[in-house]
Amino acid sequence: MKKKLPVYVVDDDIHVTDSLKSVSEYAGHQVFCFATAREFLHSQPEPSGVLILDLKLPDIHGLEVQQRLVKKGVYLPIIIYSGTADIPDTVSALKEGAYTVLQKPVAARQLINVINEAAAHAEKVRDDIVFRKKASEQVAKLSPRELSVALLTAEGLSATQMAEKLFISKRTAETHKSNIFKKLDIGSTALLIRMLMLSEHLN
């Protein structure tokens, strides 16, 4: 059975929260409603969830809630759901990483689609973070000389060219290259390039 997606709704309008709760539960999600930003921030939301956030809250502005989550390192796909979002607010929210901004009211089907799209997007982002972390950990195993050889290999240089550039023998360059592939557990230059890109050693 597919795990229910946690949907967090932060809005002080009871009619809005009731409506969003009904729509989200109809779509098979688990819904948690909060009337204030502080209640939500103290709730320790699961990173696998989706946040539907109003901007004009009684205690903390929605954009500040978004900023606090970023500072905490909590990545939640945020759907700004507001009846008062102007262009500056919309631009700020999107710059801070909000998935989208919706003007109240929104049709149920559209809202369900946006929630599912936001969840899928977030999962992809989290997978990318995991891949980047793993690549960085793997590349960190290389010695400084091996990293130099790896970068030159990614540039397409032959063992002879690398040997000349690094003032080592061709055989030593080939040995370094072989060790690199073993340490990174890869079998092609294409994968080496990908790992160097993910670890931010290549632009």
Side-chain angles (χ1 to χ4, degrees), residues 104-136:
K104 297 176 181 176
V106 173
R109 176 49 57 188
Q110 180 186 356
L111 184 61
I112 291 171
N113 288 340
V114 171
I115 290 171
N116 291 336
E117 289 166 3
H121 172 76
E123 185 174 359
K124 184 178 179 181
V125 170
R126 284 190 292 270
D127 286 346
D128 187 56
I129 291 171
V130 170
F131 291 147
R132 287 179 184 278
K133 183 180 179 183
K134 184 177 179 181
S136 296

Side-chain angles (χ1 to χ4, degrees), residues 1 16 18 23 26 43 76 78 99-100 104 118 122 158 163 166:
M1 178 186 254
V16 172
D18 283 349
V23 170
Y26 174 78
S43 70
L76 268 174
I78 299 174
Y99 178 72
T100 192
K104 297 176 181 176
S158 66
L166 299 174

Side-chain angles (χ1 to χ4, degrees), residues 29-155:
H29 304 312
Q30 188 175 16
V31 187
F32 304 89
C33 297
F34 304 89
T36 68
R38 287 189 175 86
E39 287 178 15
F40 166 70
L41 291 170
H42 291 145
S43 70
Q44 297 183 326
E46 292 184 35
S48 60
V50 170
L51 171 59
I52 303 177
L53 178 66
D54 188 20
L55 290 180
K56 306 299 183 186
L57 296 166
D59 52 349
I60 303 172
H61 193 276
L63 293 179
E64 187 178 338
V65 174
Q66 188 179 5
Q67 291 162 3
R68 290 191 186 190
L69 290 173
V70 171
K71 286 179 182 177
K72 284 183 176 182
V74 177
Y75 179 77
L76 268 174
I78 299 174
I79 299 168
I80 300 295
Y81 189 61
S82 175
T84 59
D86 54 21
I87 291 176
D89 281 343
T90 298
V91 171
S92 295
L94 294 174
K95 275 187 176 180
E96 289 290 337
Y99 178 72
T100 192
V101 177
L102 299 178
Q103 287 287 133
K104 297 176 181 176
V106 173
R109 176 49 57 188
Q110 180 186 356
L111 184 61
I112 291 171
N113 288 340
V114 171
I115 290 171
N116 291 336
E117 289 166 3
H121 172 76
E123 185 174 359
K124 184 178 179 181
V125 170
R126 284 190 292 270
D127 286 346
D128 187 56
I129 291 171
V130 170
F131 291 147
R132 287 179 184 278
K133 183 180 179 183
K134 184 177 179 181
S136 296
E137 290 172 350
Q138 290 289 95
V139 172
K141 295 177 182 178
L142 302 180
S143 68
R145 176 50 58 86
E146 287 171 340
L147 180 58
S148 296
V149 171
L151 291 169
L152 293 175
T153 300
E155 290 178 18

